[in-house]
């Protein structure tokens, strides 16, 4: 399975600032996904990032708040913009095939706290 | 739309005992896949086991097995011989099979398992 490195692993940020999270995969993958996990909650998909096209955002998430880049088949970034305490969450990237019995594989997550 | 339901927010289990985590799903598709993940307190998501809708046998992976009842639309995870390291949050997930879904997953609310000595 793919090895996924996510940086930073954790950060504490001031409200109103922005943070960019990086996700690096050790092999070329078509689909990358970004999830948010609020404290004590399940994973919620933010967007799907396909190389060479604009990310597809889920309902409730907008590009101005969560801009995503996908410059090549092994790398993606998620920026959390103009942060507020409500953005305190774990952010996870994952990769996986679009179909079949293969699971999505996840990075270790970025634990973000906003003061 | 597909939906995953985990009704047990938390469970305690004694070491060496078995525990069953419930998962029910709702889909109109005939072909679908169900996945279970473990999330320790450190936060990473660890894939445990997969069950396909056409699989005739229940999936097993070591101490993990899946009690798949297709007519009831349930895919319960059974952890046998629980160990202290099994203490974690467990999520049931289904791959979205819509043509424009890109294979994204939907996750249940999760079940927190605490294994006691």
């Amino acid at each position: 399975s793919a090895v996924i490195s996510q940086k930073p692993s954790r950060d504490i940020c001031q409200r109103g600032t922005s943070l960019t999270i990086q996700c690096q995969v050790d092999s070329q993958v078509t689909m990358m996904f970004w999830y948010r996990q609020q404290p004590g909650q399940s994973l919620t998909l933010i967007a799907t990032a396909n190389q060479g096209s604009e990310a597809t955002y889920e309902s409730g998430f907008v590009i101005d708040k969560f801009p995503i880049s996908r410059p090549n088949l092994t790398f993606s970034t998620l920026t959390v913009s103009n942060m507020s305490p409500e953005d305190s969450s774990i952010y996870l990237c994952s990769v996986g095939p679009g179909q079949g019995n293969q699971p999505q594989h996840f990075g270790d997550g970025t634990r973000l706290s906003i003061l | 739309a597909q939906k995953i339901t985990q009704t047990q927010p938390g469970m305690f289990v004694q070491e060496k005992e078995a525990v069953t985590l419930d998962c029910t799903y709702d889909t109109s598709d005939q072909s679908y896949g169900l996945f279970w993940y473990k999330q320790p307190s450190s936060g990473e998501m660890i894939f445990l086991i997969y069950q396909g809708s056409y699989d005739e046998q229940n999936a097993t992976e070591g101490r993990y097995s899946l009690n798949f009842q297709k007519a009831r639309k349930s895919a319960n995870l059974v952890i046998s011989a629980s160990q202290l390291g099994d203490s974690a949050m467990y999520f049931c997930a289904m791959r979205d099979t819509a043509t424009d879904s890109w294979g994204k997953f939907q996750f249940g609310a999760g079940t927190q398992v605490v294994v006691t000595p």
Side-chain angles (χ1 to χ4, degrees):
Chain A
S1 61
V3 176
I4 304 162
S5 301
Q6 196 172 330
K7 294 180 181 180
S9 59
R10 59 177 63 233
D11 208 339
I12 301 173
C13 300
Q14 297 293 324
R15 67 179 65 199
T17 62
S18 298
L19 178 75
T20 296
I21 302 168
Q22 299 179 0
C23 185
Q24 178 76 53
V25 190
D26 69 343
S27 59
Q28 293 185 341
V29 294
T30 304
M31 308 306 304
M32 296 181 76
F33 305 90
W34 287 98
Y35 291 86
R36 180 177 74 180
Q37 187 179 24
Q38 295 178 301
Q41 303 295 313
S42 185
L43 282 72
T44 301
L45 183 66
I46 297 172
T48 301
N50 192 5
Q51 193 268 335
S53 63
E54 295 285 330
T56 301
Y57 289 84
E58 297 298 302
S59 175
F61 297 96
V62 295
I63 188 171
D64 290 345
K65 176 67 175 177
F66 298 101
I68 288 171
S69 78
R70 182 78 201 274
N72 56 52
L73 289 172
T74 63
F75 188 77
S76 179
T77 67
L78 169 75
T79 299
V80 186
S81 303
N82 188 25
M83 290 184 285
S84 67
E86 293 71 36
D87 294 318
S88 297
S89 298
I90 299 174
Y91 292 85
L92 297 118
C93 70
S94 75
V95 303
Q99 58 187 0
N101 63 354
Q102 295 303 305
Q104 286 187 14
H105 294 286
F106 288 80
D108 287 345
T110 296
R111 198 177 295 265
L112 183 57
S113 298
I114 314 303
L115 302 179
Chain B
Q2 297 170 304
K3 187 178 178 181
I4 299 286
T5 302
Q6 294 179 256
T7 58
Q8 305 153 309
M11 299 187 71
F12 286 92
V13 58
Q14 246 182 335
E15 207 174 0
K16 300 180 184 177
E17 298 292 313
V19 61
T20 298
L21 309 183
D22 294 342
C23 173
T24 59
Y25 58 92
D26 185 21
T27 181
S28 57
D29 295 322
Q30 297 301 308
S31 176
Y32 51 88
L34 295 151
F35 302 79
W36 277 91
Y37 285 84
K38 170 185 177 182
Q39 186 180 42
S41 57
S42 50
E44 72 269 29
M45 292 286 286
I46 302 167
F47 166 68
L48 296 178
I49 195 167
Y50 165 84
Q51 181 78 47
S53 59
Y54 291 123
D55 293 342
E56 294 186 352
Q57 292 191 329
N58 288 340
T60 60
E61 286 289 346
R63 294 186 298 110
Y64 304 108
S65 61
L66 224 153
N67 183 2
F68 182 49
Q69 299 188 44
K70 193 171 181 177
R72 291 187 171 187
K73 293 188 175 179
S74 73
N76 299 338
L77 178 70
V78 180
I79 306 174
S80 61
S82 295
Q83 303 172 354
L84 295 178
D86 294 334
S87 294
M89 183 74 88
Y90 290 81
F91 292 100
C92 182
M94 173 182 281
R95 170 169 280 133
D96 194 325
T97 55
T99 54
D100 60 348
S101 70
W102 303 106
K104 63 187 178 185
F105 277 19
Q106 285 186 312
F107 286 86
T111 297
Q112 180 72 50
V113 172
V114 176
V115 180
T116 58

